[in-house]
Amino acid sequence: MNKSKVFPYPFVQAPSANFSTTKSTALSDSIEGWGSTKLDNKDDTNPNNNNATLKPKSKEAIKLSIKCCLSFSFSIAIILSIVSITAVWITSFAITISDLSNRNRALAFGEINLFTIKFLEGVTQISEVAQSLMITNYNISDTDKIIKDMVYLYKSILDYQSTSVVTVYIGDMKGNCLGIMNVDNSPSLFQMWEGTGNPYNETWLTTCQDIHHNEGCVRSSKPDVINPRFNMTPLVELGKKNPGNAAWTQSYIDISMPDVIFMSMITSVKRVNESVSFYFGYDLSAISISKFLKEKLSGTSTTGFLLETSTDYIIASNQFSSYAFSTKDINGNIDRKTGITFGDPATKRTTEFLFQSYKSFREIECGKTIHKENGMEYVSFHRICDKHGIDWVMVLVTPTWVYLGGMIISLIVAVGCSILIVILGVTISLIISIRISAPIDDLVELFESVGKMELENLTITSSSFKEINDLQTNFSNMVKYIKLYRGFIPSHILAHLEEESATSKELKKSKHSMKRTFDNASFAGSVASVKSKFSLHLEEKKVSMVGIFIDGFWDWCSDLDPMDIIELLNEIYIEVNKVAKQYFGQLGVFDNGLIPISWNTATDTLSHEERAVKAAYQLKLKLKSIQLNWTSINSRTKLYIAATSQEILCGNVGTEEVKNFTIIGNLNQNIHNLIEFGKRLNVPLLITDPLFEKIKTLHNVRLIGFQDIPYLGQVNNNELNFKELNKVYQLGEPKKVEMDEWMYELQKIEKLSSWKTYNEACNYLLNYQFSEALELFNQYLEECKTEDLPTFQFIDYCKNV
């Protein structure tokens, strides 16, 4: 079998008789009328042109808007008045408001100090009462009486210091101890007394049942909790050092409750002519002070805290719910927080500020309140001392604006009123200036739109000023004539104007930005220079073209009235123009039934091959209904669409005054040959191999033949092997299934796969396996059950090869 045998007719379509096949004629094959443009003056890019220009003054003048001047004058006058009035009343009331703020701050700090002092005095009074009851004839060996007395005392304390009381107890100098302890808000008998049943080395805790309705502690005979014996030596020693007096211990932390600060008051009982024989103990927490600070300072952005002078430890703070007073490491060691290590930033900042003034808090005089300023904060502190060993420093940190709220509100109201007055004044000035300048501004915008050939929806509001009204009338007449001329302006010129308009809008949106963003559907390149668009030039570039051919147009000319032909063409052009704009194609001149659309000619276009194919397919769908309507007029009328892509020469030729945008090459001839090829095979939509390579994954296509498509400077050659020819394809449905309904999807998938057998046969054909190809072509005819001319021509070739 001779594999070099050429394909006979119909695979290679000879050039149409209307076109010359010589090289010289091919180079001059242009699309007439694509841009015949006459300019009254020379090229805009020519520096020697005589176009009318705006002549500047000898000295550069600043141009001001009437609206701006009026608004600025009103605003300045109003603002100066408001500033003067505000300065007067602020000066008058600033001192009074400052004094009032200081008094309010001192009053709040005094209430906090008073609460703390009364809290301590209350504990002292309780201890003194207990001491007075035990100083004479109190039998410390009578444990039942001790339990009964401690229950009574515990219930009495609950009425006054329910949140603070932890334990009330009596202890002797041997380390024995007996009393009532608050365990998880439940009173329990605290028993560590040798000879009452528990061993010397144990501490028993037994819950007292319904303590409020019983005189003593009604309890179980067995303890609920047994702990190792507590070391009471520090308390015994404190009682010995203060015989017959009350004394406070330093604050401490229970390892089981690291977030609570505890303190103990030990009151030793010394009878006449006797040494200390026993003591009364009262353990309590500082939580009530913290709660009072939080309640008192809530909603004020103020921070209050209490420090222990001897250790710098935090005793209480209104931030106790947010930050811990101590932390426990993995070894169980407790780390107490000082004012500097406490988590609250205001506490840390203020403590550091105080240490800048005092090396130790002991330098602060007892009972004295001091006020200082730390930046934007007021700091008030007071050292609390008593004869029983209390030595604390109460600190209050207040932002300066807290007590200036009244003044701040007044300023806000004043500024708000000023703004309203300014707005009112500017509004009045704008209304006056707009009445004067609005018609002129409207005309400026309308002239800008006309300059960009945006002639639709131009609305002119008639002015009451005679001169402006005359100007509006002349402008309306000018627009009417421009609309008439616009239809004759070449499409690439209109495309350039539209591109400039779109770019101008983008620049307005992003004039303050260094980056410019373009819509992905817009032209790929930025706006070309005026010289490259309108000067005489030729450039070689690859373009794409779609041709829509009306088969039967000459029958229209012989059978129909010219007005009917215009109406029919108008129906086509409406849809063609929509598709051309949608895919940024340039509509060419109607040529005896052929409507060309090109891409990447006068304007650079990204992905022009894909745009051309999508446009061709959309035209097929949109023109199908129009073609059905023609059946009643002329049943022989059909539409054929062909698309190709190739290298050509294009640009402006002519003179500086009269230019013509021209496409030089075989492009128009090749479109005609493809359409003739499609007519002979009854294929309504054809594309060539360069377009197929771009869209083969997007559309269902099939090979229908081969064409010798000459490019720039080439001629047709029928003596070519089919491997060297350009393949011609029929464009089918898109491969993407867009519907969700499964039945419709199934039908569409079947439709997309209808050319599967045909394409397999073509693969065998291209590999010279003609017998296998012939078998599959026959199988396809049985499957499609139609007279498919491309299949018949391939069958004939396989039989005759």
Side-chain angles (χ1 to χ4, degrees):
M1 182 178 296
N2 186 4
K3 295 186 179 181
S4 63
K5 184 173 181 178
V6 299
F7 276 77
Y9 178 89
F11 295 93
V12 178
Q13 173 66 23
S16 173
N18 296 329
F19 295 88
S20 173
T21 60
T22 64
K23 181 174 181 179
S24 60
T25 309
L27 287 170
S28 63
D29 177 20
S30 62
I31 299 179
E32 301 273 343
W34 268 60
S36 181
T37 306
K38 181 172 182 178
L39 304 176
D40 292 336
N41 300 304
K42 291 186 178 293
D43 195 328
D44 291 338
T45 61
N46 191 340
N48 300 319
N49 70 74
N50 297 319
N51 291 345
T53 58
L54 181 63
K55 185 177 179 180
K57 294 182 179 180
S58 58
K59 292 184 178 180
E60 186 175 355
I62 299 176
K63 300 175 180 61
L64 298 177
S65 167
I66 297 175
K67 289 182 287 187
C68 178
C69 292
L70 290 176
S71 302
F72 182 76
S73 300
F74 272 90
S75 301
I76 290 297
I78 294 168
I79 291 173
L80 288 177
S81 301
I82 295 301
V83 169
S84 301
I85 295 172
T86 304
V88 171
W89 75 260
I90 287 180
T91 305
S92 302
F93 293 102
I95 299 176
T96 303
I97 292 176
S98 178
D99 292 340
L100 180 61
S101 300
N102 292 333
R103 288 198 297 270
N104 289 337
R105 187 171 66 255
L107 179 62
F109 189 57
E111 291 180 359
I112 294 173
N113 280 332
L114 182 61
F115 173 84
T116 306
I117 293 171
K118 285 187 175 181
F119 172 81
L120 297 174
E121 289 177 350
V123 175
T124 303
Q125 290 174 0
I126 292 172
S127 298
E128 290 176 349
V129 170
Q131 183 188 39
S132 64
L133 295 176
M134 301 175 188
I135 197 169
T136 57
N137 300 323
Y138 192 81
N139 186 6
I140 194 174
S141 61
D142 189 354
T143 56
D144 291 335
K145 178 175 175 53
I146 292 175
I147 294 173
K148 184 178 180 180
D149 291 343
M150 291 300 102
V151 169
Y152 176 79
L153 188 59
Y154 179 84
K155 290 192 292 183
S156 299
I157 294 174
L158 286 178
D159 296 334
Y160 302 99
Q161 297 179 341
S162 59
T163 60
S164 300
V165 61
V166 177
T167 310
V168 289
Y169 52 93
I170 290 179
D172 62 11
M173 297 296 104
K174 298 179 180 180
N176 294 316
C177 190
L178 192 63
I180 302 298
M181 175 181 286
N182 185 353
V183 180
D184 297 330
N185 294 322
S186 176
S188 298
L189 176 62
F190 175 76
Q191 191 172 354
M192 195 175 65
W193 199 286
E194 187 177 1
T196 59
N198 63 321
Y200 179 78
N201 59 349
E202 292 181 352
T203 301
W204 289 1
L205 291 176
T206 310
T207 302
C208 298
Q209 300 175 5
D210 197 10
I211 194 173
H212 296 286
H213 296 89
N214 294 308
E215 291 185 358
C217 177
V218 179
R219 62 192 183 280
S220 172
S221 58
K222 294 183 180 180
D224 298 325
V225 178
I226 299 177
N227 290 325
R229 188 178 182 88
F230 295 159
N231 182 15
M232 307 301 290
T233 303
L235 301 183
V236 172
E237 293 300 324
L238 182 63
K240 290 180 179 179
K241 290 180 181 179
N242 298 276
N245 295 315
W248 284 99
T249 65
Q250 288 187 342
S251 62
Y252 58 91
I253 291 288
D254 188 340
I255 194 170
S256 62
M257 292 181 288
D259 293 333
V260 181
I261 303 298
F262 294 98
M263 300 165 292
S264 298
M265 171 165 270
I266 302 301
T267 305
S268 60
V269 179
K270 181 179 181 298
R271 295 170 181 166
V272 181
N273 299 323
E274 292 184 8
S275 61
V276 176
S277 58
F278 63 96
Y279 63 88
F280 168 71
Y282 182 8
D283 298 344
L284 67 159
S285 70
I287 190 65
S288 59
I289 302 178
S290 296
K291 290 183 177 180
F292 176 79
L293 289 173
K294 184 175 182 180
E295 179 181 355
K296 183 67 179 177
L297 303 178
S298 62
T300 62
S301 300
T302 301
T303 301
F305 58 96
L306 189 62
L307 295 173
E308 192 172 44
T309 304
S310 60
T311 61
D312 299 337
Y313 288 148
I314 287 285
I315 300 295
S317 172
N318 65 326
Q319 303 292 334
F320 72 95
S321 58
S322 302
Y323 304 99
F325 292 131
S326 64
T327 56
K328 182 167 61 174
D329 60 19
I330 57 176
N331 297 323
N333 298 320
I334 297 296
D335 179 25
R336 288 281 303 273
K337 300 299 180 182
T338 65
I340 294 178
T341 61
F342 191 54
D344 177 47
T347 302
K348 179 180 179 180
R349 181 172 60 249
T350 304
T351 305
E352 291 175 345
F353 169 72
L354 292 177
F355 276 126
Q356 292 175 2
S357 302
Y358 304 98
K359 295 181 180 179
S360 172
F361 290 137
R362 289 190 174 91
E363 296 180 5
I364 302 173
E365 185 179 347
C366 285
K368 185 177 182 180
T369 300
I370 303 174
H371 303 282
K372 289 180 176 289
E373 289 189 19
N374 181 22
M376 297 299 294
E377 294 175 332
Y378 291 120
V379 179
S380 301
F381 52 99
H382 177 89
R383 185 178 176 188
I384 303 173
C385 308
D386 69 4
K387 63 181 180 179
H388 303 295
I390 283 293
D391 194 354
W392 295 342
V393 176
M394 176 63 72
V395 184
L396 188 68
V397 185
T398 308
T400 55
W401 53 264
V402 169
Y403 294 107
L404 298 178
M407 187 174 183
I408 293 174
I409 293 173
S410 300
L411 284 173
I412 292 174
V413 172
V415 171
C417 293
S418 302
I419 293 174
L420 290 177
I421 295 173
V422 170
I423 291 174
L424 181 62
V426 172
T427 302
I428 294 174
S429 65
L430 285 176
I431 292 174
I432 296 174
S433 61
I434 286 173
R435 294 284 296 175
I436 298 173
S437 60
I440 300 176
D441 292 339
D442 291 341
L443 281 176
V444 170
E445 293 182 0
L446 292 174
F447 271 109
E448 184 181 1
S449 299
V450 172
K452 298 173 183 177
M453 298 305 291
E454 298 174 357
L455 305 178
E456 304 300 328
N457 302 322
L458 297 181
T459 303
I460 302 176
T461 303
S462 180
S463 174
S464 57
F465 298 100
K466 181 180 181 302
E467 293 80 0
I468 297 178
N469 188 265
D470 293 339
L471 183 60
Q472 291 174 335
T473 302
N474 293 330
F475 177 80
S476 299
N477 293 333
M478 180 189 69
V479 172
K480 291 178 183 178
Y481 284 108
I482 293 177
K483 285 184 177 180
L484 295 177
Y485 300 149
R486 189 180 191 276
F488 296 95
I489 298 176
S491 61
H492 75 282
I493 301 295
L494 291 176
H496 173 65
L497 294 173
E498 292 174 356
E499 184 180 3
E500 282 188 331
S501 176
T503 305
S504 177
K505 293 177 181 178
E506 289 291 337
L507 287 173
K508 287 180 180 179
K509 292 179 180 178
S510 58
K511 64 181 180 178
H512 298 297
S513 174
M514 295 299 295
K515 297 179 69 178
R516 291 175 51 196
T517 306
F518 294 89
D519 186 77
N520 56 9
S522 64
F523 290 116
S526 60
V527 180
S529 66
V530 176
K531 182 173 182 179
S532 64
K533 291 293 182 183
F534 296 104
S535 62
L536 296 175
H537 71 284
L538 280 176
E539 58 179 322
E540 183 175 345
K541 61 195 310 186
K542 187 174 184 180
V543 301
S544 299
M545 178 177 281
V546 172
I548 305 101
F549 183 74
I550 305 172
D551 186 26
F553 175 73
W554 293 111
D555 294 334
W556 289 6
C557 296
S558 59
D559 298 341
L560 301 178
D561 184 79
M563 292 306 298
D564 293 333
I565 296 176
I566 290 176
E567 290 182 4
L568 292 173
L569 289 176
N570 183 56
E571 291 182 12
I572 297 176
Y573 264 98
I574 289 175
E575 299 299 333
V576 171
N577 191 46
K578 288 180 181 178
V579 174
K581 285 186 175 181
Q582 179 182 356
Y583 294 100
F584 300 96
Q586 297 175 25
L587 193 60
V589 178
F590 183 77
D591 182 17
N592 295 328
L594 179 67
I595 304 174
I597 307 175
S598 68
W599 283 264
N600 205 41
T601 50
T603 304
D604 294 336
T605 309
L606 276 179
S607 306
H608 57 88
E609 297 95 342
E610 290 88 339
R611 294 178 188 271
V613 173
K614 291 179 180 179
Y617 182 74
Q618 288 297 319
L619 286 169
K620 174 189 173 185
L621 299 179
K622 292 181 179 296
L623 298 178
K624 185 175 182 181
S625 59
I626 296 177
Q627 187 175 353
L628 294 175
N629 296 335
W630 293 345
T631 305
S632 59
I633 300 175
N634 190 333
S635 59
R636 297 189 303 275
T637 301
K638 292 184 179 180
L639 288 176
Y640 291 92
I641 303 174
T644 187
S645 180
Q646 66 180 71
E647 298 281 345
I648 55 95
L649 282 175
C650 64
N652 297 328
V653 297
T655 68
E656 290 294 340
E657 294 184 354
V658 180
K659 299 181 179 68
N660 182 33
F661 183 81
T662 305
I663 294 179
I664 300 175
N666 309 77
L667 186 60
N668 201 31
Q669 174 185 338
N670 292 337
I671 289 291
H672 275 86
N673 292 344
L674 288 171
I675 289 174
E676 290 298 324
F677 191 55
K679 288 168 55 179
R680 196 160 34 78
L681 296 179
N682 195 26
V683 176
L685 180 54
L686 298 85
I687 63 172
T688 56
D689 197 41
L691 297 180
F692 166 76
E693 294 298 329
K694 296 290 185 179
I695 58 90
K696 59 185 178 182
T697 60
L698 304 177
H699 275 262
N700 196 30
V701 294
R702 66 166 179 165
L703 178 68
I704 61 170
F706 300 86
Q707 280 272 282
D708 179 17
I709 301 178
Y711 295 134
L712 186 64
Q714 296 179 345
V715 296
N716 294 84
N717 182 9
N718 287 343
E719 297 299 324
L720 291 173
N721 184 280
F722 75 90
K723 286 279 189 177
E724 301 172 356
L725 297 173
N726 285 280
K727 302 180 183 66
V728 181
Y729 298 88
Q730 180 180 356
L731 184 67
E733 302 286 340
K735 291 183 178 181
K736 183 180 179 181
V737 178
E738 299 176 352
M739 301 298 291
D740 293 331
E741 293 81 358
W742 69 273
M743 284 297 294
Y744 184 79
E745 288 184 3
L746 181 60
Q747 295 174 3
K748 190 147 187 174
I749 292 172
E750 291 176 353
K751 189 173 183 180
L752 293 176
S753 62
S754 60
W755 287 343
K756 181 179 179 182
T757 304
Y758 181 93
N759 288 332
E760 291 177 356
C762 290
N763 290 333
Y764 283 118
L765 177 70
L766 295 175
N767 292 314
Y768 302 102
Q769 299 178 12
F770 299 109
S771 58
E772 291 86 348
L774 180 61
E775 180 181 354
L776 288 178
F777 280 129
N778 288 323
Q779 179 182 340
Y780 174 74
L781 285 178
E782 294 178 0
E783 293 175 355
C784 66
K785 299 178 182 180
T786 58
E787 295 185 0
D788 187 61
L789 295 182
T791 307
F792 283 128
Q793 73 166 357
F794 281 127
I795 290 176
D796 290 341
Y797 176 75
C798 291
K799 290 179 179 179
N800 299 324
V801 69

